[in-house]
């Protein structure tokens, strides 16, 4: 029921805020991919549904924050917490307008990532290493689905996509 669900969610958030956040792990190859993309001059941002302070803490803990010019997450008050809203804010904070926005892409491992990019008028690319599936990503409208971080970096740097890149959440 709703009351029990709320209690369980509160317990989850309590544990996550103390120790659970340290139990995250970057997907295989993500640090190397981010280094390649940053070195190539791409502007990188995080657009995550996690609360922004938590996202920053996780990225700092795994020494990944240094790759991103922008880190956007959900607000603690739940305002502007829909994925498409977070992606839109990341684009604005990147300064992606006009021709630069046309070159931006959203990369994610779930359908909400793909929808978030598309709703903001940018292409979305699936990274099939997380909780989603190739089918979920394709059905959501991904223009390409990479099977590894290395394949994604190769694709982005091949000239197929250029400009800014919203990288996958941690």
């Amino acid at each position: 029921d709703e009351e029990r669900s709320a209690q369980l969610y509160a317990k989850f958030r309590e544990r996550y805020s103390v120790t659970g956040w340290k139990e995250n792990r970057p997907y295989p190859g993500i640090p190397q991919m981010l280094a390649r993309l940053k070195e190539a001059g791409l502007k990188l941002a995080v657009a995550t549904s996690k609360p922004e302070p938590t996202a920053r803490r996780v990225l700092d803990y795994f020494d990944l924050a240094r790759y991103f010019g922008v880190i956007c997450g959900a607000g603690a008050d739940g305002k502007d917490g829909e994925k498409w809203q977070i992606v839109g804010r990341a684009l604005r904070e990147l300064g992606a307008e006009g021709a630069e926005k046309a070159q931006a892409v959203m990369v994610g491992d779930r359908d909400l990532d793909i929808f978030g990019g598309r709703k903001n008028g940018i292409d979305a690319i699936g990274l099939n290493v997380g909780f989603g599936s190739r089918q979920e990503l394709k059905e959501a409208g991904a223009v390409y689905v990479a099977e590894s971080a290395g394949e994604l970096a190769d694709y982005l740097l091949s000239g197929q996509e250029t400009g800014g890149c919203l990288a996958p959440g941690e």
Side-chain angles (χ1 to χ4, degrees):
D1 65 23
E2 240 180 86
E3 183 179 330
R4 182 72 177 140
S5 292
Q7 291 171 344
L8 290 171
Y9 183 71
K11 270 293 203 210
F12 166 79
R13 297 299 321 155
E14 180 183 318
R15 183 188 180 286
Y16 190 85
S17 70
V18 176
T19 60
W21 67 273
K22 294 177 190 173
E23 297 169 346
N24 287 285
R25 295 288 174 266
Y27 294 136
I30 291 294
Q32 297 84 353
M33 176 197 74
L34 293 173
R36 281 182 67 196
L37 297 178
K38 178 107 176 164
E39 185 177 305
L42 273 68
K43 293 181 185 178
L44 304 175
V46 170
T48 180
S49 297
K50 284 182 176 59
E52 192 167 312
T54 301
R56 288 179 183 279
R57 183 166 50 167
V58 170
L59 290 166
D60 283 337
Y61 184 75
F62 292 104
D63 194 30
L64 299 176
R66 63 192 167 119
Y67 296 113
F68 300 101
V70 171
I71 298 171
C72 293
D77 60 1
K79 184 179 178 211
D80 296 329
E82 297 290 328
K83 186 59 154 235
W84 67 269
Q85 294 169 315
I86 297 166
V87 172
R89 185 163 57 96
L91 286 166
R92 287 188 301 278
E93 289 187 23
L94 276 175
E97 298 176 14
E100 196 165 282
K101 182 177 177 184
Q103 294 179 334
V105 296
M106 173 65 190
V107 176
D109 66 343
R110 296 303 311 265
D111 57 359
L112 288 176
D113 299 315
I114 306 306
F115 295 140
R118 293 181 64 219
K119 185 155 179 139
N120 281 280
I122 61 173
D123 284 343
I125 297 171
L127 180 56
N128 190 26
V129 297
F131 293 101
S133 68
R134 171 175 274 285
Q135 181 177 344
E136 173 186 332
L137 296 165
K138 290 302 282 181
E139 287 176 1
V143 297
Y144 183 79
V145 177
E147 296 298 325
S148 70
E151 179 186 340
L152 175 61
D154 291 344
Y155 179 77
L156 291 170
L157 297 174
S158 72
Q160 296 293 322
E161 297 291 338
T162 57
C165 173
L166 297 178
E170 64 286 343

